[in-house]
Each structure stands twice: as C-alpha cells, then as structure tokens.
Amino acid sequence: MPNFEHPEYPEATLLHLESMVPCRETQVSSLLSIFGERQHFSFPSIFIYGHTSSGKTYVMQTLLETLELPHVFVNCVECFTSRLLLEEILTQLQSLSSENKHGSHVPCDTFNDFVRLFKQEIITQDLQNQTVYIVLDKAEQLREMEANVLPGFLRLQEMTDRNVTVIFLSEIVWELFRPNTGCLEPFTLYFPDYSIGHLQKILSHYHPPEYSADFYAAYINILLGVFYTVCRDLKELRHLAALNFTKYCEPVVRGEANERDTRRLWKNIESHLKKAMQTVYLREISSSQWEKIQQDDGEPGHLKGLSAHAHVELPYYSKFLLIAAYLASYNPARTDKRFFLKHHGKIKKTNFLKKHEKTSNHLLGPKPFPLDRLLAILYSIVDNKVAPTANIFSQITSLVTLQLLTLVGHDDQLDGPKYKCTVSLDFIRAIARTVNFDIIKYLYDFL
C-alpha cells in the first residue's frame, strides 16, 4: 500500500510517485491534499520555501509530471524581465496541446495583456475544467521586477476567473516578499533540510548496478562521515560520491579486499577524501583532472596553474606592472642599477650588506616606492617599448582597486603617489610564470 492516498489517481501511479520522492512524503501528501481533484479549484497561490538543494524544484516537477497535470515551469533567473517571464508562460501554455509541442512566440508587454491572452489560451487548449499550475522557480527574482508582477500572480485566479494555481519556489521566507501595500497571502509550505539519515537513503538509492546496494551504502556512510559537517548540499554530495567511488573500489578491483572489508577500503580512500575536502564547492579543477590526481597519487596543488588562489586573470601589462611593483617593494632602491642596467659594472653583494640590512627583505615586509620607480622597472622588464599612456595608469588604479597594490599616503602629495605591493611570493611567481618571466633572478634576497 502506498503512503499517499488520493481517489483521483490509481494506486500504481502513487506507488511510482512515492519511489521517486524519498524523504519528502509529508510535503507531497500536503500538496496532494491542496491540489484535490483535477476539476476542483485549488489555492490561488502556494509559496514553497527552503534552503538550496532541499528538493523543492525536483519534487514539484516530479509530482506534476507523474500525475500528468497541465503545468508551466519557468525559471525566473532565465526570464529576468517581466516581459520575458510572461511571454515564456504563454509559450509553454501553447505547447501543452498535442498538436503544438513547441509553441510559437506570443508578444506580451504588460500584465493586462497577459491576463487577456491567458484567458484565451485556456479556452483554446480546452483546459477550463481542470487546474492549470504555473510554477515560478527562483521566485525571489520577482522582487526585482515591476511592482505589479508579484501581486498580479498572487491574484491571477481572481483576475482571469480561471482555475489556475501559481506556485512560487524560493530560498527565502515569505516575509521578505510581502509588499508594503499588502497583498493576497499565499498558502506557505516549508521544505526542511535533509537529515543525515535522509541523505544516506537518497544517495544510496543511486548505487551502480555492478555493485551491491550494501557495498554502496557503506561507501556513502563513509563519505557522509567526512563531508556532512562542511557540506549538506545534496547535489554537491552526489558529485563527490560519483567522483571518489572509483578510488574506493580499487582494492576490490585488484582483488586485495572483498566488499565487506570496510577497514581496508576506508584506509585506501581516507587520504583522498581529505584532499577532496579542499575543493568542496570550488570546482578549481575539473572532474577529469581530479581523477588524474587520484591515479598519480598527487596533491591538488601540484597541477600547475589550477588553483584560483595562486593565479588570477589580469591583462598582459597589468601582470608586468604587478611584477615591477613586487620588485620595487622587496628590492632596495640602489640595487635597481644592478638588476636593470645592461652595463652596470661589477657590484658585489657584500658591498650592500650593512649591519641593518642582513635581515631578509621578505621578512621585513614590502617597502613603499614612488610611481616613477615603478614605471622605470616596468620599461626595463618588458621586451617591447611601452608608452606611458592613460591605459597604463588606469591599470595601476585597477590593481589598487583589486587590493593587489596599496596606495601609501594621501592623493594630494606634492612628490607624487607611493605604493606598496601586497601579494605573496607564491602569488607573484604564479603570475610571472604566465608571462615566462623568471622573477627569482631579479630579487635581491635570492642572489
């Protein structure tokens, strides 16, 4: 016997629906009660809210498609203006008929036009005797649209005099939606976060056919034991489960362990799961690159240029400006002749080493430098000639805005502005590699 009961739908359909929406039986039962039978008038509007990856979109899509209810499903991020949103609803409404699966474009400029065209389309599609559902996903975007859009959807059933229910799916509570002028209150339904038991049940449901359900459930239990404290996003956990399962199976594939040897399987994958903790949500490397790391038993940081913390996208000359700024911050000014003049003569490092200079400049931190010195170093390290144009000066300002450089003192200084470079050695080495510049050769501390 299914957990869901409804006189309108056969038992087989309800059993299939129950298998498709695990751990959301309470919410689905509430929705079935609200929907009633096809010909019954339902609530004018339903507001469903909950954190990301709590099953709101999936449950609504599965419920409407399994029960074959006439519906329109629109993402408010994709349809970011009221015109796009209204036109998309009308276009999808056209495609509900078997004759017109794609629907033609329907121009609609205002909400008044939408109400008129919606009423016509309901008659054309012969949907007067059943409820039509309009689902607006990412509904928080409606707050950025015209003031009449949200109240209009809340009263759409009243304005059209048709059997229509508008369902809002959002990650924020209704109190942040409610207009100051007041509106028709929707029926609110909360989707709580999945518990660790729910996540275990849902993730274990997608086990590969070549392995037993118990073996995959043990793997999911290990995975959740590592990641549950930092990540409860079902989509991210499914991604991590698929990404690391091959490594978990290695001892079984090689014949070194059987499926019940949990201790050996855990020891094999423990270090790899801890490495994966560093890249939760970030996607700093692709799935194929992560698999390559697992095969080579390497560290994620060993792949050149993959980490977003060690590499940033900058224009070509901005990279050289940042390199010049780093050299100006960490090299004494009198060493510029040694590094950047071709015929500087012999200058021994011991000549520079005074008592107070024996400490590494990198330990003392960056020193301020004038703009003239920065540009002089830039012209020395760039192969081709660079004119001191407004473009170069604007790029210096951009580096300050990005907090890669810091402006020292006040803008109204008579002797010109001074700057400090705030990036680390690892960061500047990564930047220098992208332009094939060996910065270590030009640093006084590494002579």
Side-chain angles (χ1 to χ4, degrees):
M1 284 291 292
N3 288 328
F4 307 140
E5 294 182 5
H6 201 286
E8 177 78 11
Y9 308 106
E11 187 176 310
T13 303
L14 295 175
L15 280 170
H16 176 64
L17 178 62
E18 185 180 335
S19 67
M20 294 286 286
V21 287
C23 309
R24 281 291 177 251
E25 292 83 5
T26 304
Q27 288 74 24
V28 174
S29 295
S30 299
L31 287 168
L32 284 172
S33 301
I34 294 166
F35 287 178
E37 298 182 17
R38 286 176 182 269
Q39 69 276 15
H40 290 170
F41 267 79
S42 180
F43 271 87
S45 54
I46 302 171
F47 185 84
I48 298 174
Y49 67 102
H51 289 145
T52 183
S53 201
S54 55
K56 303 179 296 296
T57 304
Y58 172 75
V59 167
M60 282 310 306
Q61 283 181 326
T62 306
L63 179 61
L64 294 169
E65 289 170 6
T66 304
L67 302 181
E68 297 179 354
L69 298 171
H71 66 278
V72 170
F73 214 101
V74 182
N75 189 312
C76 295
V77 173
E78 296 173 4
C79 302
F80 51 89
T81 66
S82 58
R83 179 172 180 170
L84 287 173
L85 179 63
L86 300 176
E87 289 178 352
E88 179 64 20
I89 293 171
L90 292 170
T91 303
Q92 287 195 32
L93 198 59
Q94 277 189 348
S95 64
L96 291 178
S97 63
S98 55
E99 297 83 15
N100 189 5
K101 280 293 180 188
H102 299 289
S104 56
H105 176 72
V106 183
C108 180
D109 294 320
T110 66
F111 207 89
N112 285 338
D113 292 339
F114 173 74
V115 170
R116 176 176 53 82
L117 293 167
F118 184 84
K119 290 166 73 174
Q120 292 175 4
E121 202 59 47
I122 291 293
I123 296 170
T124 306
Q125 301 289 338
D126 194 23
L127 296 171
Q128 302 99 311
N129 298 323
Q130 53 183 318
T131 308
V132 176
Y133 298 92
I134 298 175
V135 184
L136 302 177
D137 198 8
K138 308 291 182 186
E140 52 269 17
Q141 300 298 320
L142 295 175
R143 301 181 302 164
E144 308 298 326
M145 298 183 187
E146 289 85 343
N148 68 327
V149 174
L150 178 59
F153 278 121
L154 290 169
R155 288 188 174 273
L156 189 61
Q157 189 180 99
E158 178 187 335
M159 294 166 68
T160 58
D161 195 26
R162 296 288 185 270
N163 191 359
V164 57
T165 295
V166 181
I167 301 172
F168 303 90
L169 305 181
S170 177
E171 294 178 12
I172 61 178
V173 296
W174 168 247
E175 284 70 24
L176 298 176
F177 272 80
R178 187 183 287 117
N180 295 331
T181 54
C183 63
L184 182 69
E185 295 286 317
F187 178 89
T188 57
L189 182 63
Y190 176 57
F191 273 52
D193 289 343
Y194 288 113
S195 67
I196 190 169
H198 291 159
L199 291 171
Q200 171 82 35
K201 182 177 178 181
I202 294 168
L203 292 170
S204 300
H205 184 70
Y206 299 100
H207 72 89
E210 60 269 25
Y211 293 99
S212 67
D214 290 341
F215 175 68
Y216 194 72
Y219 164 66
I220 294 299
N221 191 38
I222 289 172
L223 187 86
L224 289 174
V226 174
F227 289 103
Y228 185 71
T229 53
V230 297
C231 173
R232 302 184 184 186
D233 188 320
L234 180 59
K235 294 174 189 172
E236 186 71 17
L237 289 169
R238 283 185 66 181
H239 171 73
L240 290 166
L243 207 59
N244 295 285
F245 185 60
T246 307
K247 187 69 183 177
Y248 182 74
C249 297
E250 276 183 3
V252 177
V253 173
R254 292 197 298 258
E256 297 172 0
N258 57 41
E259 290 188 0
R260 295 184 177 277
D261 196 350
T262 312
R263 182 179 177 83
R264 182 168 293 183
L265 293 169
W266 161 247
K267 287 191 74 174
N268 179 63
I269 201 174
E270 180 183 10
S271 60
H272 291 270
L273 291 181
K274 287 179 179 176
K275 289 175 193 173
M277 286 271 282
Q278 302 168 16
T279 59
V280 173
Y281 293 117
L282 296 180
R283 299 289 193 277
E284 289 182 332
I285 57 176
S286 67
S287 300
S288 57
Q289 288 170 323
W290 176 251
E291 288 169 4
K292 184 179 184 300
I293 293 171
Q294 288 185 333
Q295 291 169 6
D296 299 342
D297 289 330
E299 294 286 337
H302 287 179
L303 287 181
K304 182 179 174 181
L306 290 176
S307 176
H309 305 295
H311 174 64
V312 65
E313 285 300 328
L314 291 171
Y316 181 73
Y317 286 119
S318 290
K319 292 178 181 179
F320 276 105
L321 275 168
L322 194 59
I323 293 167
Y326 191 87
L327 295 173
S329 276
Y330 288 97
N331 283 347
R334 61 179 175 276
T335 62
D336 290 351
K337 181 180 176 184
R338 176 193 183 101
F339 288 119
F340 306 116
L341 280 182
K342 289 183 180 178
H343 307 291
H344 55 71
K346 276 195 173 182
I347 304 175
K348 292 184 180 179
K349 186 176 180 182
T350 51
N351 293 342
F352 295 107
L353 287 177
K354 294 185 178 176
K355 215 170 189 180
H356 64 281
E357 276 187 358
K358 289 184 179 179
T359 308
S360 166
N361 290 302
H362 281 77
L363 292 177
L364 294 173
K367 303 284 194 305
F369 55 86
L371 178 62
D372 293 344
R373 187 180 172 212
L374 171 67
L375 294 175
I377 295 174
L378 173 70
Y379 301 148
S380 301
I381 63 177
V382 177
D383 294 334
N384 49 344
K385 288 186 178 181
V386 184
T389 60
N391 184 32
I392 293 295
F393 292 108
S394 68
Q395 289 187 42
I396 295 173
T397 306
S398 297
L399 291 173
V400 173
T401 305
L402 292 169
Q403 298 182 350
L404 301 175
L405 298 183
T406 302
L407 185 63
V408 181
H410 299 287
D411 294 334
D412 57 353
Q413 284 180 321
L414 295 177
D415 57 347
K418 289 189 175 182
Y419 300 91
K420 271 186 185 180
C421 184
T422 58
V423 301
S424 65
L425 178 61
D426 289 338
F427 187 97
I428 203 67
R429 288 181 71 180
I431 292 290
R433 275 200 301 267
T434 64
V435 290
N436 297 318
F437 183 83
D438 188 3
I439 194 170
I440 298 298
K441 281 185 180 179
Y442 292 87
L443 284 169
Y444 181 67
D445 284 345
F446 294 92
L447 280 179

